[in-house]
Amino acid sequence: LRDATPSEVGRIIGDWERIEGNGLRVENPELSQEFLKQASKTLLKPYNDGSRDPQLLGALGLYEFPIDRELSGKHLQGAADGHIIRPTVYTRLAQLRFDAAESHPAGSEGKLSDDQLASVLGPLFTARRQPPAMVETYRLMAKAWSQSAIKPTKDHLAVLDEGMALFWPDKGLADDVNALRSQWRCPANRRSQSQ
C-alpha cells in the first residue's frame, strides 16, 4: 500500500464528479452543471501540474468528449498510446475517428476507405479484449462495416455474432448486424438466426 499521488487523486475524484454530473443531467440540470464544472477543475489540476498519466488522460478525454471533440481525441489517443485498460476510452476514440471518416469518406462511392475503416476498428478490437464487454463496441463495428467500401469477411462477421450472443436482448445491435448481412448478402449463421 502507498499514498495516492496527486494525479491519481485528481483523476479518481474528477472522474467520479464527471460520472455524477452526467447522471444528473435530466433529474437535476443545475447540480449536474456544478458537478461537471468541478470535474473540469479537478481533472485539469494534475494535468496542468504536468501529469500525463494515461489514466488521467483517459478521464480527461471522456470528460471532453461531449464538449471539445478535438481535445478529447488528443487525450484519448494519449491514453491509448499508454495502453490504458478502459474500454470506454477506445470506443470513444473509435467514435471520433468514425465521425471524421464518415464526414470525409475516402473510399469508392462515398464509403470509408480501408485505412479509415482500420483506424476505427483498431481501437474497437482493443476495447473488445478488455473487460467489461460493451454493446457500444459492437454497434460501432457494425456501423463502420456498413459504411465500408469493402465487404466484411466471415471472421469479421463472427465478431459481430459474438456481440449479438453477449448482448442478445439488444434489438438495436441485432438489427444493425442483420442489416449489414443483408447489405453485403451474407447469410446469418445458425446461432444469430435463432436470436
Side-chain angles (χ1 to χ4, degrees):
L1 293 177
R2 61 170 176 78
D3 290 340
T5 66
S7 176
E8 290 167 335
V9 171
R11 181 213 358 126
I12 292 167
I13 294 173
D15 211 19
W16 177 82
E17 291 166 341
R18 174 189 68 84
I19 293 167
E20 195 66 23
N22 286 337
L24 290 169
R25 281 183 198 259
V26 174
E27 184 183 322
N28 192 334
E30 278 184 40
L31 187 55
S32 169
Q33 285 306 308
E34 289 302 314
F35 270 108
L36 293 172
K37 275 190 232 174
Q38 187 58 46
S40 175
K41 291 176 189 173
T42 306
L43 291 168
L44 284 173
K45 170 108 176 66
Y47 182 82
N48 291 336
D49 288 345
S51 175
R52 296 300 180 266
D53 174 63
Q55 295 283 346
L56 175 64
L57 294 176
L60 269 168
L62 294 174
Y63 169 79
E64 292 154 346
F65 185 80
I67 301 165
D68 184 336
R69 293 290 182 102
E70 187 175 335
L71 195 53
S72 176
K74 175 185 163 193
H75 290 129
L76 292 172
Q77 185 62 58
D81 290 345
H83 307 289
I84 186 175
I85 297 177
R86 189 168 185 180
T88 307
V89 164
Y90 296 96
T91 301
R92 293 292 182 269
L93 180 59
Q95 183 68 58
L96 292 173
R97 291 179 179 181
F98 176 77
D99 293 346
E102 189 178 40
S103 65
H104 297 95
S108 61
E109 299 178 18
K111 297 285 190 174
L112 304 185
S113 70
D114 293 356
D115 289 343
Q116 288 175 316
L117 180 64
S119 78
V120 173
L121 292 179
L124 292 174
F125 275 88
T126 300
R128 175 180 163 248
R129 292 188 302 268
Q130 295 183 353
M134 297 179 3
V135 70
E136 293 85 359
T137 303
Y138 295 96
R139 278 191 196 142
L140 189 51
M141 282 182 188
K143 195 171 181 182
W145 275 112
S146 73
Q147 296 300 314
S148 170
I150 59 172
K151 182 178 181 176
T153 67
K154 286 182 181 182
D155 289 341
H156 297 134
L157 293 169
V159 170
L160 295 174
D161 290 337
E162 168 192 285
M164 288 174 52
L166 286 170
F167 300 101
W168 58 268
D170 193 293
K171 186 167 173 15
L173 176 60
D175 289 347
D176 290 347
V177 174
N178 290 329
L180 176 65
R181 285 183 176 281
S182 177
Q183 172 187 340
W184 289 104
R185 294 180 178 83
C186 301
N189 69 23
R190 286 184 190 149
R191 187 175 199 177
S192 61
Q193 284 176 334
S194 67
Q195 294 174 356

